[in-house]
Amino acid sequence: MFTNAALSLSFKQIRSNGLKSLLANRQLKNIFFSLLYRSGAIASNFLIVPLLINQFSEAEYGVLVTIISITTWFSFIDFGLANGLKNKISESLATGDEDNVRKYISTAYGTLFKVVICFVILLLVSNSFIDWNVILQAPQSSRSAVNVLFLYGLLLFLSKILIELINPILLAYHKTSASALITFISQISTLAVCYAYKTFSHHSLANYGLVFFWVPLLTVIGFSLYYYSGSFKNIRPAARFFKKSYEKDLLKIGGSFFVIQIAVVIIFTTDNLIVGRIFGYDEVSKYNIAFRYFNIPLLLLTIALTPYWPIFSEWFVQKNITGIRQTMTRLLLIWGGISLLAIGMLVMANPVYKLWVGENIKVPFLLSAGMCLFCIISGWSSVYATFINATNRLKLQFYSCIFTGLLNVPVSIFLATQTSLGSAGVIFGTCICLLIGSVWAPIQYHKLVKGTAKGIWNK
């Protein structure tokens, strides 16, 4: 368990004791290395954009990022098991019931394996009847690669969903920096392979696209083997530890996360498809560049938030309300700093775009402004969602996400087609929908920490 004193290590102590003192504090160590690894991942993400744009046309690049975006829709097939598993492990550790941890882990892997196999069979059967080019309305130059990318990309992505259960386990055990390291290795390896393709391989959108699927899969497999043969050996999943009653428990918790994930996928990953269908895939390139740029502050906020999900789970069980309040205050101050950073990035956006991707691609200011607003609103909601998700009080979020998910696409399309906002209307539509959660989430948080939450606020 983390003590409040440990989390309150001052900058004065760090300056006087140096890096050794910082690394002695587990929480600060996680944040320090997470920041280091995430910074490397962000740099890799930035470097890969001009590489791909120089290799392909704007439209082809737009098709590629749209395909990658659409495949992430299928992340919902874990039925919320990853988040449910993370909460169950945290709760078990908080109450000293470590015997249950291996049972929950084995049950989660077994359950998700059955789900993935069913979806793989469904994909293989249905793929003969689906022409993804019709759905995407892809330009002629990309059509030969689209169906290949969807079939093999989805097979690899579905496999990664299963293997990726190592991530919630790492987070539950407060190994946040290890989870960030997986992302860093995956991103840097993807960049390296793309550069190798540029040097030694022929010009192929399908080859480049598949790199974004098989490299992350191999990375997660490698880390899973490392941990399950080492520090996680005692909790390594095994068929004999699969428990049907635990499966029901995980699915009960995961059910709410499942619906929430679907809504999040709709809100955050349909934009590229909407822009591509309405304005063409040249516009998707501009949209994606602006999104990647303003995603930097959100990634920094994620680094600060991620370690606190399992901590909030433990503290809520232990009724450590003082620790929760003080930590939330710090996280909101971090959100304020992130918001100021986003505004500063908006001011500097055009010179940065020019330096990053060259002069040929012009990103409209309204699109950048929409992304900046999205960053600020999404960050505010994420701070409160981290606490609410950790407490398993998900019913209100469940209904809100259903409403928001249904509202997002028509509002985004309306603003894009019926106003002068153009593609910026899509992100402004998303911002409007996110405002709903930004209102009720702080109210629920205050009710929970005050002990006054009743009815839907406490479910």
Side-chain angles (χ1 to χ4, degrees):
M1 186 187 91
F2 293 103
T3 65
N4 193 51
L7 292 174
S8 301
L9 183 65
S10 67
F11 288 109
K12 183 178 179 181
Q13 288 173 295
I14 295 173
R15 286 195 300 268
S16 61
N17 297 328
L19 186 61
K20 183 178 179 181
S21 175
L22 185 152
L23 297 182
N25 183 285
R26 181 167 58 169
Q27 191 58 27
L28 290 176
K29 180 180 177 180
N30 267 322
I31 293 175
F32 175 79
F33 281 107
S34 293
L35 180 61
L36 190 66
Y37 299 142
R38 292 286 185 182
S39 297
I42 290 171
S44 300
N45 249 327
F46 260 63
L47 290 172
I48 209 164
V49 172
L51 184 152
L52 293 175
I53 288 177
N54 290 332
Q55 287 292 103
F56 304 102
S57 67
E58 280 187 56
E60 287 174 323
Y61 174 74
V63 168
L64 178 57
V65 297
T66 302
I67 291 173
I68 294 171
S69 177
I70 290 175
T71 56
T72 61
W73 296 1
F74 291 84
S75 59
F76 74 87
I77 73 161
D78 82 337
F79 289 97
L81 277 169
N83 287 326
L85 176 62
K86 178 165 55 177
N87 281 2
K88 276 300 178 182
I89 293 174
S90 297
E91 290 172 9
S92 297
L93 294 176
T95 57
D97 193 5
E98 293 186 311
D99 291 339
N100 276 334
V101 171
R102 192 171 192 181
K103 295 174 184 177
Y104 276 119
I105 290 172
S106 300
T107 303
Y109 272 99
T111 303
L112 193 51
F113 176 77
K114 293 185 289 185
V115 173
V116 168
I117 289 296
C118 290
F119 269 87
V120 167
I121 294 171
L122 181 64
L123 173 63
L124 292 175
V125 172
S126 61
N127 190 69
S128 302
F129 306 99
I130 298 175
D131 186 352
W132 294 101
N133 282 295
V134 173
I135 296 173
L136 255 68
Q137 293 186 349
Q140 192 65 40
S141 60
S142 306
R143 296 201 160 213
S144 61
V146 167
N147 284 324
V148 172
L149 279 174
F150 267 113
L151 174 60
Y152 294 106
L154 276 173
L155 287 173
L156 292 168
F157 185 78
L158 293 173
S159 301
K160 185 169 76 77
I161 288 175
L162 174 62
I163 308 299
E164 231 174 10
L165 278 178
I166 189 65
N167 266 320
I169 299 169
L170 288 168
L171 295 174
Y173 273 89
H174 306 292
K175 295 181 180 291
T176 312
S177 59
S179 179
L181 179 60
I182 295 176
T183 302
F184 169 66
I185 296 296
S186 175
Q187 295 280 9
I188 201 73
S189 299
T190 300
L191 177 64
V193 174
C194 284
Y195 267 109
Y197 271 6
K198 179 182 178 181
T199 305
F200 302 109
S201 182
H202 61 284
H203 183 86
S204 168
L205 186 65
N207 283 350
Y208 276 88
L210 288 176
V211 170
F212 289 87
F213 297 102
W214 65 259
V215 170
L217 173 61
L218 292 180
T219 304
V220 176
I221 290 174
F223 273 90
S224 296
L225 292 173
Y226 171 78
Y227 277 102
Y228 286 133
S229 61
S231 58
F232 285 171
K233 187 175 183 179
N234 292 334
I235 58 171
R236 185 169 55 202
R240 69 181 183 275
F241 292 105
F242 180 93
K243 303 294 179 183
K244 194 69 178 176
S245 59
Y246 283 54
E247 182 178 51
K248 292 179 181 178
D249 201 13
L250 284 170
L251 288 174
K252 182 180 179 181
I253 296 173
S256 295
F257 280 118
F258 169 62
V259 174
I260 291 168
Q261 283 174 207
I262 292 178
V264 168
V265 164
I266 292 172
I267 293 169
F268 289 97
T269 63
T270 54
D271 288 0
N272 286 327
L273 182 59
I274 294 171
V275 173
R277 291 291 298 264
I278 296 176
F279 299 103
Y281 287 93
D282 289 354
E283 287 298 313
V284 175
S285 296
K286 299 170 186 176
Y287 195 92
N288 183 257
I289 287 167
F291 179 82
R292 283 178 183 257
Y293 178 60
F294 284 98
N295 198 42
I296 292 175
L298 284 177
L299 287 174
L300 295 175
L301 182 61
T302 299
I303 293 169
L305 293 178
T306 301
Y308 290 101
W309 182 318
I311 294 172
F312 283 144
S313 291
E314 292 181 16
W315 282 353
F316 195 72
V317 170
Q318 296 160 354
K319 302 188 185 304
N320 183 1
I321 302 303
T322 300
I324 291 172
R325 286 180 182 275
Q326 291 178 350
T327 301
M328 284 293 289
T329 299
R330 295 190 191 101
L331 293 177
L332 287 171
L333 287 173
I334 293 173
W335 166 80
I338 292 298
S339 299
L340 291 175
L341 173 62
I343 294 170
M345 290 175 63
L346 176 62
V347 174
M348 296 297 297
N350 285 337
V352 173
Y353 292 147
K354 182 177 179 181
L355 180 65
W356 179 23
V357 296
E359 298 183 357
N360 293 331
I361 298 180
K362 306 290 185 183
V363 179
F365 176 78
L366 269 178
L367 181 56
S368 295
M371 290 295 178
C372 179
L373 182 62
F374 165 80
C375 173
I376 293 170
I377 297 173
S378 181
W380 169 265
S381 299
S382 295
V383 173
Y384 289 101
T386 300
F387 171 77
I388 293 168
N389 290 342
T391 65
N392 283 328
R393 297 323 193 254
L394 303 172
K395 187 66 71 174
L396 181 58
Q397 187 177 178
F398 174 88
Y399 290 122
S400 177
C401 282
I402 291 175
F403 177 73
T404 303
L406 293 173
L407 186 66
N408 180 68
V409 172
V411 170
S412 295
I413 292 175
F414 174 82
L415 291 178
T417 58
Q418 303 302 315
T419 71
S420 59
L421 292 171
S423 62
V426 177
I427 193 62
F428 277 110
T430 300
C431 290
I432 291 171
C433 294
L434 289 180
L435 283 173
I436 298 171
S438 70
V439 173
W440 64 256
I443 298 173
Q444 185 176 21
Y445 159 73
H446 287 292
K447 285 180 178 290
L448 287 170
V449 296
K450 290 178 180 177
T452 60
K454 295 179 181 179
I456 195 172
W457 299 98
N458 197 37
K459 292 182 179 180

